[in-house]
Amino acid sequence: MKTLMIKTHEVWLEVLMASFMSNTDNKKVLSNFSDILFRHFTWLENEHIVLDESYNYDRDHIPIKVEKLSDILKDITNRLNEIDLQLMAIDNKALSSRISSDLYYITSVLMHMKDEKITAFNMERKYQGTILSQEATDALTLFLFEESYKEYELIMIYNYLKMHSSDSYMNRIFQILIEESFFHLKSFGDMQAQMGLLGVPRIVMKDLYQVEDVVQFLKDGINEELAAKEECIKLSEAVAKESPELEKFFNFINQQENYHIALMEDALKHFKKANNE
């Protein structure tokens, strides 16, 4: 079960990375498949919780640097076939049947997917033909690397908290934050790929998501969101003269952070009240 969960985690990320690489209709299909595989991951996680088995979000290195889309699709297909074989170890036959059926369809689509030349690793650092100064390019590069990891980290943290909470009010907030982080991760991942800088986010340390002090976690999270707002403002200002579209985009992201802060403040108040703190 633990191996199965790890392998599902890895292939979810690999399919997500493949979606960032694509510049054709394949992108949407791969993105949808990554969403399905993430759901599989959470369902397998729930099985661990039901069976009272310990687990974490550790995983192995995921090599994604390819010249053709077909190269990574071949690796993904092999991983999916391996997972399908391991599903026999699950006692929950309804779950194993559902996942197996999904994997059969996904692999059948991947086998006939039109190939593409991949430019997501060329290190050109150009975004949609926009000519940015060295300073703006460096600022954008650093932001994308830091924030793509941060959003992946937040997805894993909020997911872990949601999986271990029976508080429906808190879980509603965690789910909103998961969905918001997915949007940001996909946006930043697409930008990284267009700039030739795509990379898999590093592994999230277990101390970050196995939260013992929820109050302190929420307080720290609010401060991190405030810091993220400042980074968005700085980046927006850095690209303002050279790319009005990028300026608008990062202002848009900045405004979204306001609601994230409000949600976390709401969660903090609710948690304190529910636990008489």
Side-chain angles (χ1 to χ4, degrees):
M1 276 286 289
K2 290 180 181 179
T3 301
L4 186 58
M5 184 173 162
I6 291 170
K7 296 303 178 184
T8 303
H9 186 172
E10 292 168 355
V11 79
W12 153 53
L13 274 180
E14 190 171 12
V15 174
L16 183 61
M17 295 298 117
S19 75
F20 298 154
M21 299 176 197
S22 175
N23 292 307
T24 70
D25 291 342
N26 293 334
K27 178 182 287 291
K28 183 177 180 180
V29 176
L30 290 166
S31 181
N32 287 339
F33 285 166
S34 75
D35 290 342
I36 291 172
L37 292 166
F38 179 74
R39 290 199 293 275
H40 290 177
F41 171 73
T42 63
W43 297 342
L44 291 169
E45 182 177 8
N46 187 66
E47 283 297 291
H48 281 79
I49 294 171
V50 169
L51 296 172
D52 196 25
E53 294 182 354
S54 63
Y55 69 93
N56 56 50
Y57 290 155
D58 289 350
R59 55 175 170 80
D60 292 332
H61 173 66
I62 306 170
I64 62 167
K65 193 171 183 179
V66 296
E67 295 183 355
K68 299 183 299 180
L69 185 67
S70 57
D71 293 333
I72 195 168
L73 295 184
K74 181 178 179 180
D75 187 66
I76 289 169
T77 299
N78 289 337
R79 286 178 183 267
L80 294 177
N81 288 333
E82 181 182 352
I83 289 170
D84 196 29
L85 290 173
Q86 294 176 344
L87 286 170
M88 292 185 291
I90 298 182
D91 291 332
N92 187 336
K93 298 308 177 185
L95 177 59
S96 62
S97 177
R98 163 59 195 270
I99 293 177
S100 181
S101 176
D102 285 354
L103 299 187
Y104 176 81
Y105 176 72
I106 291 171
T107 53
S108 69
V109 173
L110 297 184
M111 288 173 60
H112 297 93
M113 191 166 276
K114 188 175 180 180
D115 205 3
E116 300 178 51
K117 180 181 178 181
I118 299 303
T119 61
F121 310 101
N122 62 20
M123 302 294 288
E124 286 189 358
R125 300 210 301 167
K126 294 180 181 178
Y127 180 71
Q128 293 184 345
T130 302
I131 305 299
L132 298 175
S133 67
Q134 185 68 41
E135 180 182 0
T137 299
D138 290 344
L140 180 56
T141 299
L142 181 61
F143 177 89
L144 291 176
F145 274 118
E146 290 183 345
E147 292 303 307
S148 62
Y149 167 71
K150 190 202 85 169
E151 298 300 344
Y152 167 66
E153 176 188 278
L154 290 176
I155 289 168
M156 304 314 293
I157 293 172
Y158 292 133
N159 182 69
Y160 192 91
L161 289 172
K162 180 185 173 187
M163 295 297 292
H164 291 81
S165 170
S166 58
D167 187 324
S168 60
Y169 192 91
M170 295 289 287
N171 286 345
R172 181 187 70 86
I173 292 175
F174 291 147
Q175 183 58 38
I176 292 172
L177 292 170
I178 290 169
E179 291 168 359
E180 291 283 274
S181 287
F182 259 118
F183 171 72
H184 288 186
L185 176 59
K186 290 182 177 182
S187 298
F188 300 152
D190 280 338
M191 294 178 75
Q192 280 184 299
Q194 289 183 41
M195 295 181 70
L197 300 169
L198 186 61
V200 180
R202 62 186 181 274
I203 297 170
V204 181
M205 302 303 292
K206 64 182 68 175
D207 290 346
L208 293 175
Y209 54 83
Q210 293 180 352
V211 177
E212 295 183 2
D213 188 340
V214 176
V215 170
Q216 190 59 50
F217 164 76
L218 291 170
K219 288 180 179 179
D220 291 342
I222 291 168
N223 290 331
E224 287 179 9
E225 293 291 348
L226 289 169
K229 278 177 56 63
E230 291 301 316
E231 291 303 314
C232 279
I233 292 171
K234 289 179 183 178
L235 191 53
S236 177
E237 292 173 347
V239 301
K241 294 181 180 179
E242 301 160 41
S243 177
E245 289 186 4
L246 281 176
E247 180 191 17
K248 290 177 183 177
F249 173 73
F250 287 112
N251 281 333
F252 161 66
I253 295 295
N254 175 43
Q255 293 302 318
Q256 291 189 338
E257 301 290 2
N258 290 334
Y259 187 54
H260 299 171
I261 292 169
L263 285 170
M264 296 181 78
E265 289 174 340
D266 193 17
L268 181 58
K269 292 177 183 177
H270 172 82
F271 186 85
K272 283 184 172 182
K273 183 178 180 180
N275 291 274
N276 297 317
E277 293 187 21

PDB file of all heavy atoms in Angstrom, residues 231-262:
ATOM      1  N   GLU A 231       5.995  39.876  -2.720  1.00  0.00           N
ATOM      2  CA  GLU A 231       6.773  39.390  -3.862  1.00  0.00           C
ATOM      3  C   GLU A 231       6.035  39.630  -5.172  1.00  0.00           C
ATOM      4  O   GLU A 231       6.640  39.985  -6.189  1.00  0.00           O
ATOM      5  CB  GLU A 231       7.081  37.898  -3.696  1.00  0.00           C
ATOM      6  CG  GLU A 231       8.050  37.586  -2.569  1.00  0.00           C
ATOM      7  CD  GLU A 231       9.375  38.311  -2.733  1.00  0.00           C
ATOM      8  OE1 GLU A 231       9.929  38.304  -3.861  1.00  0.00           O
ATOM      9  OE2 GLU A 231       9.852  38.900  -1.739  1.00  0.00           O
ATOM     10  N   CYS A 232       4.715  39.445  -5.154  1.00  0.00           N
ATOM     11  CA  CYS A 232       3.906  39.705  -6.350  1.00  0.00           C
ATOM     12  C   CYS A 232       3.965  41.183  -6.735  1.00  0.00           C
ATOM     13  O   CYS A 232       4.071  41.522  -7.920  1.00  0.00           O
ATOM     14  CB  CYS A 232       2.451  39.288  -6.121  1.00  0.00           C
ATOM     15  SG  CYS A 232       2.148  37.534  -6.323  1.00  0.00           S
ATOM     16  N   ILE A 233       3.885  42.039  -5.732  1.00  0.00           N
ATOM     17  CA  ILE A 233       3.941  43.486  -5.977  1.00  0.00           C
ATOM     18  C   ILE A 233       5.292  43.861  -6.570  1.00  0.00           C
ATOM     19  O   ILE A 233       5.373  44.616  -7.552  1.00  0.00           O
ATOM     20  CB  ILE A 233       3.677  44.265  -4.669  1.00  0.00           C
ATOM     21  CG1 ILE A 233       2.225  44.071  -4.222  1.00  0.00           C
ATOM     22  CG2 ILE A 233       3.983  45.748  -4.865  1.00  0.00           C
ATOM     23  CD1 ILE A 233       1.927  44.611  -2.828  1.00  0.00           C
ATOM     24  N   LYS A 234       6.378  43.342  -5.988  1.00  0.00           N
ATOM     25  CA  LYS A 234       7.718  43.635  -6.493  1.00  0.00           C
ATOM     26  C   LYS A 234       7.875  43.166  -7.936  1.00  0.00           C
ATOM     27  O   LYS A 234       8.440  43.874  -8.776  1.00  0.00           O
ATOM     28  CB  LYS A 234       8.772  42.958  -5.616  1.00  0.00           C
ATOM     29  CG  LYS A 234       8.936  43.555  -4.235  1.00  0.00           C
ATOM     30  CD  LYS A 234       9.981  42.786  -3.450  1.00  0.00           C
ATOM     31  CE  LYS A 234      10.114  43.323  -2.022  1.00  0.00           C
ATOM     32  NZ  LYS A 234      11.111  42.528  -1.242  1.00  0.00           N
ATOM     33  N   LEU A 235       7.386  41.966  -8.218  1.00  0.00           N
ATOM     34  CA  LEU A 235       7.519  41.422  -9.561  1.00  0.00           C
ATOM     35  C   LEU A 235       6.670  42.199 -10.547  1.00  0.00           C
ATOM     36  O   LEU A 235       7.093  42.477 -11.679  1.00  0.00           O
ATOM     37  CB  LEU A 235       7.123  39.947  -9.561  1.00  0.00           C
ATOM     38  CG  LEU A 235       7.443  39.171 -10.830  1.00  0.00           C
ATOM     39  CD1 LEU A 235       8.909  39.311 -11.217  1.00  0.00           C
ATOM     40  CD2 LEU A 235       7.087  37.706 -10.654  1.00  0.00           C
ATOM     41  N   SER A 236       5.470  42.579 -10.128  1.00  0.00           N
ATOM     42  CA  SER A 236       4.598  43.375 -10.980  1.00  0.00           C
ATOM     43  C   SER A 236       5.264  44.697 -11.353  1.00  0.00           C
ATOM     44  O   SER A 236       5.216  45.135 -12.505  1.00  0.00           O
ATOM     45  CB  SER A 236       3.268  43.638 -10.265  1.00  0.00           C
ATOM     46  OG  SER A 236       2.435  44.466 -11.039  1.00  0.00           O
ATOM     47  N   GLU A 237       5.897  45.314 -10.365  1.00  0.00           N
ATOM     48  CA  GLU A 237       6.597  46.582 -10.605  1.00  0.00           C
ATOM     49  C   GLU A 237       7.813  46.389 -11.510  1.00  0.00           C
ATOM     50  O   GLU A 237       8.116  47.229 -12.358  1.00  0.00           O
ATOM     51  CB  GLU A 237       7.025  47.201  -9.281  1.00  0.00           C
ATOM     52  CG  GLU A 237       5.852  47.689  -8.434  1.00  0.00           C
ATOM     53  CD  GLU A 237       6.272  48.140  -7.044  1.00  0.00           C
ATOM     54  OE1 GLU A 237       7.431  47.849  -6.652  1.00  0.00           O
ATOM     55  OE2 GLU A 237       5.449  48.758  -6.338  1.00  0.00           O
ATOM     56  N   ALA A 238       8.503  45.239 -11.364  1.00  0.00           N
ATOM     57  CA  ALA A 238       9.714  44.974 -12.146  1.00  0.00           C
ATOM     58  C   ALA A 238       9.410  44.789 -13.629  1.00  0.00           C
ATOM     59  O   ALA A 238      10.226  45.137 -14.483  1.00  0.00           O
ATOM     60  CB  ALA A 238      10.425  43.742 -11.598  1.00  0.00           C
ATOM     61  N   VAL A 239       8.220  44.235 -13.944  1.00  0.00           N
ATOM     62  CA  VAL A 239       7.890  43.951 -15.350  1.00  0.00           C
ATOM     63  C   VAL A 239       6.902  44.957 -15.931  1.00  0.00           C
ATOM     64  O   VAL A 239       6.544  44.862 -17.111  1.00  0.00           O
ATOM     65  CB  VAL A 239       7.309  42.522 -15.501  1.00  0.00           C
ATOM     66  CG1 VAL A 239       8.300  41.488 -14.997  1.00  0.00           C
ATOM     67  CG2 VAL A 239       5.970  42.387 -14.764  1.00  0.00           C
ATOM     68  N   ALA A 240       6.469  45.928 -15.140  1.00  0.00           N
ATOM     69  CA  ALA A 240       5.391  46.845 -15.542  1.00  0.00           C
ATOM     70  C   ALA A 240       5.655  47.543 -16.875  1.00  0.00           C
ATOM     71  O   ALA A 240       4.791  47.573 -17.758  1.00  0.00           O
ATOM     72  CB  ALA A 240       5.153  47.878 -14.445  1.00  0.00           C
ATOM     73  N   LYS A 241       6.845  48.106 -17.042  1.00  0.00           N
ATOM     74  CA  LYS A 241       7.138  48.866 -18.252  1.00  0.00           C
ATOM     75  C   LYS A 241       7.352  47.970 -19.467  1.00  0.00           C
ATOM     76  O   LYS A 241       7.132  48.385 -20.600  1.00  0.00           O
ATOM     77  CB  LYS A 241       8.375  49.738 -18.029  1.00  0.00           C
ATOM     78  CG  LYS A 241       8.178  50.835 -16.995  1.00  0.00           C
ATOM     79  CD  LYS A 241       9.445  51.669 -16.850  1.00  0.00           C
ATOM     80  CE  LYS A 241       9.255  52.772 -15.812  1.00  0.00           C
ATOM     81  NZ  LYS A 241      10.494  53.578 -15.641  1.00  0.00           N
ATOM     82  N   GLU A 242       7.786  46.741 -19.218  1.00  0.00           N
ATOM     83  CA  GLU A 242       8.161  45.855 -20.316  1.00  0.00           C
ATOM     84  C   GLU A 242       7.044  44.902 -20.734  1.00  0.00           C
ATOM     85  O   GLU A 242       7.016  44.451 -21.875  1.00  0.00           O
ATOM     86  CB  GLU A 242       9.410  45.061 -19.910  1.00  0.00           C
ATOM     87  CG  GLU A 242      10.589  45.975 -19.562  1.00  0.00           C
ATOM     88  CD  GLU A 242      11.629  45.269 -18.712  1.00  0.00           C
ATOM     89  OE1 GLU A 242      11.912  44.095 -19.008  1.00  0.00           O
ATOM     90  OE2 GLU A 242      12.155  45.874 -17.773  1.00  0.00           O
ATOM     91  N   SER A 243       6.143  44.596 -19.820  1.00  0.00           N
ATOM     92  CA  SER A 243       5.064  43.661 -20.140  1.00  0.00           C
ATOM     93  C   SER A 243       3.815  43.980 -19.330  1.00  0.00           C
ATOM     94  O   SER A 243       3.640  43.467 -18.223  1.00  0.00           O
ATOM     95  CB  SER A 243       5.511  42.219 -19.864  1.00  0.00           C
ATOM     96  OG  SER A 243       4.437  41.318 -20.121  1.00  0.00           O
ATOM     97  N   PRO A 244       2.912  44.797 -19.878  1.00  0.00           N
ATOM     98  CA  PRO A 244       1.660  45.104 -19.189  1.00  0.00           C
ATOM     99  C   PRO A 244       0.849  43.849 -18.861  1.00  0.00           C
ATOM    100  O   PRO A 244       0.161  43.803 -17.833  1.00  0.00           O
ATOM    101  CB  PRO A 244       0.922  45.996 -20.186  1.00  0.00           C
ATOM    102  CG  PRO A 244       2.005  46.610 -21.015  1.00  0.00           C
ATOM    103  CD  PRO A 244       3.045  45.540 -21.136  1.00  0.00           C
ATOM    104  N   GLU A 245       0.935  42.821 -19.715  1.00  0.00           N
ATOM    105  CA  GLU A 245       0.179  41.595 -19.478  1.00  0.00           C
ATOM    106  C   GLU A 245       0.683  40.869 -18.233  1.00  0.00           C
ATOM    107  O   GLU A 245      -0.110  40.387 -17.416  1.00  0.00           O
ATOM    108  CB  GLU A 245       0.266  40.676 -20.694  1.00  0.00           C
ATOM    109  CG  GLU A 245      -0.513  41.185 -21.906  1.00  0.00           C
ATOM    110  CD  GLU A 245      -0.537  40.189 -23.033  1.00  0.00           C
ATOM    111  OE1 GLU A 245      -0.011  39.072 -22.855  1.00  0.00           O
ATOM    112  OE2 GLU A 245      -1.083  40.515 -24.095  1.00  0.00           O
ATOM    113  N   LEU A 246       2.016  40.787 -18.083  1.00  0.00           N
ATOM    114  CA  LEU A 246       2.572  40.160 -16.887  1.00  0.00           C
ATOM    115  C   LEU A 246       2.254  40.982 -15.645  1.00  0.00           C
ATOM    116  O   LEU A 246       1.985  40.426 -14.571  1.00  0.00           O
ATOM    117  CB  LEU A 246       4.082  39.984 -17.025  1.00  0.00           C
ATOM    118  CG  LEU A 246       4.571  38.803 -17.874  1.00  0.00           C
ATOM    119  CD1 LEU A 246       6.082  38.825 -18.001  1.00  0.00           C
ATOM    120  CD2 LEU A 246       4.111  37.475 -17.280  1.00  0.00           C
ATOM    121  N   GLU A 247       2.283  42.303 -15.786  1.00  0.00           N
ATOM    122  CA  GLU A 247       1.939  43.168 -14.657  1.00  0.00           C
ATOM    123  C   GLU A 247       0.511  42.878 -14.189  1.00  0.00           C
ATOM    124  O   GLU A 247       0.252  42.730 -12.984  1.00  0.00           O
ATOM    125  CB  GLU A 247       2.067  44.637 -15.053  1.00  0.00           C
ATOM    126  CG  GLU A 247       1.712  45.590 -13.918  1.00  0.00           C
ATOM    127  CD  GLU A 247       1.586  47.034 -14.370  1.00  0.00           C
ATOM    128  OE1 GLU A 247       1.456  47.268 -15.586  1.00  0.00           O
ATOM    129  OE2 GLU A 247       1.602  47.922 -13.496  1.00  0.00           O
ATOM    130  N   LYS A 248      -0.417  42.781 -15.135  1.00  0.00           N
ATOM    131  CA  LYS A 248      -1.813  42.492 -14.789  1.00  0.00           C
ATOM    132  C   LYS A 248      -1.943  41.124 -14.133  1.00  0.00           C
ATOM    133  O   LYS A 248      -2.695  40.949 -13.170  1.00  0.00           O
ATOM    134  CB  LYS A 248      -2.683  42.569 -16.043  1.00  0.00           C
ATOM    135  CG  LYS A 248      -2.862  43.967 -16.605  1.00  0.00           C
ATOM    136  CD  LYS A 248      -3.676  43.920 -17.889  1.00  0.00           C
ATOM    137  CE  LYS A 248      -3.801  45.302 -18.511  1.00  0.00           C
ATOM    138  NZ  LYS A 248      -4.541  45.258 -19.805  1.00  0.00           N
ATOM    139  N   PHE A 249      -1.203  40.148 -14.673  1.00  0.00           N
ATOM    140  CA  PHE A 249      -1.293  38.788 -14.133  1.00  0.00           C
ATOM    141  C   PHE A 249      -0.837  38.736 -12.682  1.00  0.00           C
ATOM    142  O   PHE A 249      -1.508  38.141 -11.833  1.00  0.00           O
ATOM    143  CB  PHE A 249      -0.459  37.822 -14.975  1.00  0.00           C
ATOM    144  CG  PHE A 249      -0.367  36.442 -14.391  1.00  0.00           C
ATOM    145  CD1 PHE A 249      -1.457  35.585 -14.419  1.00  0.00           C
ATOM    146  CD2 PHE A 249       0.801  35.996 -13.777  1.00  0.00           C
ATOM    147  CE1 PHE A 249      -1.388  34.318 -13.865  1.00  0.00           C
ATOM    148  CE2 PHE A 249       0.885  34.734 -13.222  1.00  0.00           C
ATOM    149  CZ  PHE A 249      -0.212  33.884 -13.272  1.00  0.00           C
ATOM    150  N   PHE A 250       0.294  39.362 -12.374  1.00  0.00           N
ATOM    151  CA  PHE A 250       0.798  39.292 -11.004  1.00  0.00           C
ATOM    152  C   PHE A 250      -0.010  40.165 -10.048  1.00  0.00           C
ATOM    153  O   PHE A 250      -0.084  39.872  -8.853  1.00  0.00           O
ATOM    154  CB  PHE A 250       2.288  39.622 -10.977  1.00  0.00           C
ATOM    155  CG  PHE A 250       3.122  38.501 -11.534  1.00  0.00           C
ATOM    156  CD1 PHE A 250       3.808  38.648 -12.728  1.00  0.00           C
ATOM    157  CD2 PHE A 250       3.185  37.284 -10.884  1.00  0.00           C
ATOM    158  CE1 PHE A 250       4.554  37.596 -13.255  1.00  0.00           C
ATOM    159  CE2 PHE A 250       3.928  36.230 -11.395  1.00  0.00           C
ATOM    160  CZ  PHE A 250       4.612  36.389 -12.582  1.00  0.00           C
ATOM    161  N   ASN A 251      -0.638  41.212 -10.547  1.00  0.00           N
ATOM    162  CA  ASN A 251      -1.593  41.959  -9.724  1.00  0.00           C
ATOM    163  C   ASN A 251      -2.806  41.088  -9.409  1.00  0.00           C
ATOM    164  O   ASN A 251      -3.350  41.126  -8.299  1.00  0.00           O
ATOM    165  CB  ASN A 251      -2.029  43.234 -10.437  1.00  0.00           C
ATOM    166  CG  ASN A 251      -0.993  44.341 -10.332  1.00  0.00           C
ATOM    167  OD1 ASN A 251      -0.218  44.381  -9.384  1.00  0.00           O
ATOM    168  ND2 ASN A 251      -0.980  45.242 -11.305  1.00  0.00           N
ATOM    169  N   PHE A 252      -3.225  40.307 -10.400  1.00  0.00           N
ATOM    170  CA  PHE A 252      -4.339  39.363 -10.248  1.00  0.00           C
ATOM    171  C   PHE A 252      -4.023  38.329  -9.168  1.00  0.00           C
ATOM    172  O   PHE A 252      -4.842  38.058  -8.274  1.00  0.00           O
ATOM    173  CB  PHE A 252      -4.589  38.714 -11.613  1.00  0.00           C
ATOM    174  CG  PHE A 252      -5.368  37.437 -11.612  1.00  0.00           C
ATOM    175  CD1 PHE A 252      -6.703  37.403 -11.224  1.00  0.00           C
ATOM    176  CD2 PHE A 252      -4.788  36.257 -12.062  1.00  0.00           C
ATOM    177  CE1 PHE A 252      -7.434  36.220 -11.266  1.00  0.00           C
ATOM    178  CE2 PHE A 252      -5.507  35.077 -12.109  1.00  0.00           C
ATOM    179  CZ  PHE A 252      -6.829  35.056 -11.699  1.00  0.00           C
ATOM    180  N   ILE A 253      -2.811  37.756  -9.221  1.00  0.00           N
ATOM    181  CA  ILE A 253      -2.385  36.783  -8.215  1.00  0.00           C
ATOM    182  C   ILE A 253      -2.315  37.444  -6.840  1.00  0.00           C
ATOM    183  O   ILE A 253      -2.734  36.868  -5.824  1.00  0.00           O
ATOM    184  CB  ILE A 253      -1.018  36.181  -8.584  1.00  0.00           C
ATOM    185  CG1 ILE A 253      -1.116  35.367  -9.881  1.00  0.00           C
ATOM    186  CG2 ILE A 253      -0.483  35.312  -7.448  1.00  0.00           C
ATOM    187  CD1 ILE A 253      -1.991  34.151  -9.802  1.00  0.00           C
ATOM    188  N   ASN A 254      -1.810  38.663  -6.794  1.00  0.00           N
ATOM    189  CA  ASN A 254      -1.699  39.404  -5.545  1.00  0.00           C
ATOM    190  C   ASN A 254      -3.064  39.589  -4.890  1.00  0.00           C
ATOM    191  O   ASN A 254      -3.220  39.416  -3.670  1.00  0.00           O
ATOM    192  CB  ASN A 254      -1.048  40.766  -5.808  1.00  0.00           C
ATOM    193  CG  ASN A 254      -0.999  41.636  -4.577  1.00  0.00           C
ATOM    194  OD1 ASN A 254      -0.672  41.169  -3.490  1.00  0.00           O
ATOM    195  ND2 ASN A 254      -1.336  42.901  -4.732  1.00  0.00           N
ATOM    196  N   GLN A 255      -4.060  39.936  -5.685  1.00  0.00           N
ATOM    197  CA  GLN A 255      -5.402  40.124  -5.136  1.00  0.00           C
ATOM    198  C   GLN A 255      -5.993  38.813  -4.621  1.00  0.00           C
ATOM    199  O   GLN A 255      -6.742  38.805  -3.637  1.00  0.00           O
ATOM    200  CB  GLN A 255      -6.318  40.740  -6.205  1.00  0.00           C
ATOM    201  CG  GLN A 255      -5.944  42.165  -6.599  1.00  0.00           C
ATOM    202  CD  GLN A 255      -5.953  43.115  -5.412  1.00  0.00           C
ATOM    203  OE1 GLN A 255      -6.846  43.074  -4.573  1.00  0.00           O
ATOM    204  NE2 GLN A 255      -4.933  43.969  -5.336  1.00  0.00           N
ATOM    205  N   GLN A 256      -5.658  37.712  -5.257  1.00  0.00           N
ATOM    206  CA  GLN A 256      -6.147  36.417  -4.780  1.00  0.00           C
ATOM    207  C   GLN A 256      -5.585  36.095  -3.403  1.00  0.00           C
ATOM    208  O   GLN A 256      -6.257  35.466  -2.576  1.00  0.00           O
ATOM    209  CB  GLN A 256      -5.784  35.315  -5.774  1.00  0.00           C
ATOM    210  CG  GLN A 256      -6.552  35.408  -7.087  1.00  0.00           C
ATOM    211  CD  GLN A 256      -6.341  34.191  -7.961  1.00  0.00           C
ATOM    212  OE1 GLN A 256      -5.365  33.455  -7.830  1.00  0.00           O
ATOM    213  NE2 GLN A 256      -7.262  33.968  -8.881  1.00  0.00           N
ATOM    214  N   GLU A 257      -4.351  36.521  -3.169  1.00  0.00           N
ATOM    215  CA  GLU A 257      -3.734  36.262  -1.864  1.00  0.00           C
ATOM    216  C   GLU A 257      -4.518  36.933  -0.739  1.00  0.00           C
ATOM    217  O   GLU A 257      -4.526  36.447   0.396  1.00  0.00           O
ATOM    218  CB  GLU A 257      -2.280  36.762  -1.846  1.00  0.00           C
ATOM    219  CG  GLU A 257      -1.370  36.144  -2.894  1.00  0.00           C
ATOM    220  CD  GLU A 257      -1.055  34.684  -2.653  1.00  0.00           C
ATOM    221  OE1 GLU A 257      -1.577  34.105  -1.674  1.00  0.00           O
ATOM    222  OE2 GLU A 257      -0.292  34.108  -3.437  1.00  0.00           O
ATOM    223  N   ASN A 258      -5.196  38.037  -1.032  1.00  0.00           N
ATOM    224  CA  ASN A 258      -6.004  38.713  -0.005  1.00  0.00           C
ATOM    225  C   ASN A 258      -7.084  37.787   0.539  1.00  0.00           C
ATOM    226  O   ASN A 258      -7.342  37.737   1.755  1.00  0.00           O
ATOM    227  CB  ASN A 258      -6.659  39.973  -0.582  1.00  0.00           C
ATOM    228  CG  ASN A 258      -5.658  41.077  -0.856  1.00  0.00           C
ATOM    229  OD1 ASN A 258      -4.612  41.139  -0.241  1.00  0.00           O
ATOM    230  ND2 ASN A 258      -5.991  41.954  -1.793  1.00  0.00           N
ATOM    231  N   TYR A 259      -7.724  37.049  -0.378  1.00  0.00           N
ATOM    232  CA  TYR A 259      -8.789  36.145   0.058  1.00  0.00           C
ATOM    233  C   TYR A 259      -8.206  34.952   0.818  1.00  0.00           C
ATOM    234  O   TYR A 259      -8.818  34.462   1.773  1.00  0.00           O
ATOM    235  CB  TYR A 259      -9.600  35.665  -1.137  1.00  0.00           C
ATOM    236  CG  TYR A 259     -10.825  34.849  -0.737  1.00  0.00           C
ATOM    237  CD1 TYR A 259     -11.757  35.365   0.158  1.00  0.00           C
ATOM    238  CD2 TYR A 259     -11.039  33.569  -1.240  1.00  0.00           C
ATOM    239  CE1 TYR A 259     -12.872  34.633   0.543  1.00  0.00           C
ATOM    240  CE2 TYR A 259     -12.140  32.835  -0.872  1.00  0.00           C
ATOM    241  CZ  TYR A 259     -13.057  33.359   0.017  1.00  0.00           C
ATOM    242  OH  TYR A 259     -14.157  32.630   0.398  1.00  0.00           O
ATOM    243  N   HIS A 260      -7.029  34.493   0.396  1.00  0.00           N
ATOM    244  CA  HIS A 260      -6.386  33.397   1.115  1.00  0.00           C
ATOM    245  C   HIS A 260      -6.113  33.800   2.564  1.00  0.00           C
ATOM    246  O   HIS A 260      -6.326  33.014   3.495  1.00  0.00           O
ATOM    247  CB  HIS A 260      -5.064  33.020   0.437  1.00  0.00           C
ATOM    248  CG  HIS A 260      -5.226  32.547  -0.972  1.00  0.00           C
ATOM    249  ND1 HIS A 260      -4.167  32.339  -1.815  1.00  0.00           N
ATOM    250  CD2 HIS A 260      -6.339  32.265  -1.688  1.00  0.00           C
ATOM    251  CE1 HIS A 260      -4.610  31.939  -2.982  1.00  0.00           C
ATOM    252  NE2 HIS A 260      -5.930  31.898  -2.934  1.00  0.00           N
ATOM    253  N   ILE A 261      -5.659  35.019   2.742  1.00  0.00           N
ATOM    254  CA  ILE A 261      -5.391  35.524   4.096  1.00  0.00           C
ATOM    255  C   ILE A 261      -6.689  35.578   4.908  1.00  0.00           C
ATOM    256  O   ILE A 261      -6.728  35.171   6.075  1.00  0.00           O
ATOM    257  CB  ILE A 261      -4.736  36.913   4.029  1.00  0.00           C
ATOM    258  CG1 ILE A 261      -3.316  36.791   3.442  1.00  0.00           C
ATOM    259  CG2 ILE A 261      -4.675  37.568   5.415  1.00  0.00           C
ATOM    260  CD1 ILE A 261      -2.683  38.116   3.095  1.00  0.00           C
ATOM    261  N   ALA A 262      -7.751  36.072   4.275  1.00  0.00           N
ATOM    262  CA  ALA A 262      -9.048  36.151   4.962  1.00  0.00           C
ATOM    263  C   ALA A 262      -9.542  34.759   5.359  1.00  0.00           C
ATOM    264  O   ALA A 262     -10.075  34.570   6.463  1.00  0.00           O
ATOM    265  CB  ALA A 262     -10.067  36.839   4.060  1.00  0.00           C
TER     266      ALA A 262
END
